[in-house]
Amino acid sequence: MVLLGVPLSSARDLGWLPESSDEVPLTEAWGLFDLKSVDWKVLPRVLPTFLAMFLVVGFSSCLDVAAIEMEIGKPLEYNKELKVVGMSNFFSGLTGGFTGSYIFSQTIFNVRAGVN
């Protein structure tokens, strides 16, 4: 919008952006969690899928670290890198956020652009 010189108010009027909303304190997000409404009987059925996804994400994270390692030309500490991803996903899950992993193409782009 800034590059096109279109003010945010005009973009909202044209329907390009949603109407702005009031800020909600982060502490109110915890009120959305209701563990009483969780159907815990389903957990054994989804556990194999959860474990399979855990392995796939772990393996793909290793491949991402290897790709970054090859691009920068120096060894990385796999355990350290995987711990960072694991801890960030853990805390993201605790706070209701989305999980993530390396975006190695973006990392490689940044390295090639001279970002350390």
Side-chain angles (χ1 to χ4, degrees), residues 36-98:
K36 294 176 190 166
S37 63
V38 174
D39 186 3
W40 295 104
K41 295 178 284 187
V42 176
L43 187 61
R45 256 193 341 221
V46 298
L47 196 57
T49 303
F50 171 79
L51 292 174
M53 288 302 299
F54 179 81
L55 293 173
V56 167
V57 170
F59 180 70
S60 67
S61 292
C62 288
L63 292 176
D64 291 344
V65 172
I68 294 167
E69 187 177 54
M70 287 173 49
E71 178 63 29
I72 64 174
K74 60 182 177 182
L76 296 174
E77 294 179 41
Y78 280 76
N79 286 336
K80 181 181 176 184
E81 300 295 329
L82 294 176
K83 283 179 184 177
V84 168
V85 171
M87 292 302 290
S88 64
N89 283 332
F90 176 77
F91 287 112
S92 178
L94 282 179
T95 57
F98 294 102

Side-chain angles (χ1 to χ4, degrees), residues 12-41:
R12 284 191 182 95
D13 292 341
L14 293 168
W16 295 351
L17 294 173
E19 292 297 321
S20 62
S21 59
D22 296 331
E23 289 186 23
V24 178
L26 181 61
T27 54
E28 286 188 27
W30 287 101
L32 300 174
F33 292 104
D34 183 13
L35 295 178
K36 294 176 190 166
S37 63
V38 174
D39 186 3
W40 295 104
K41 295 178 284 187

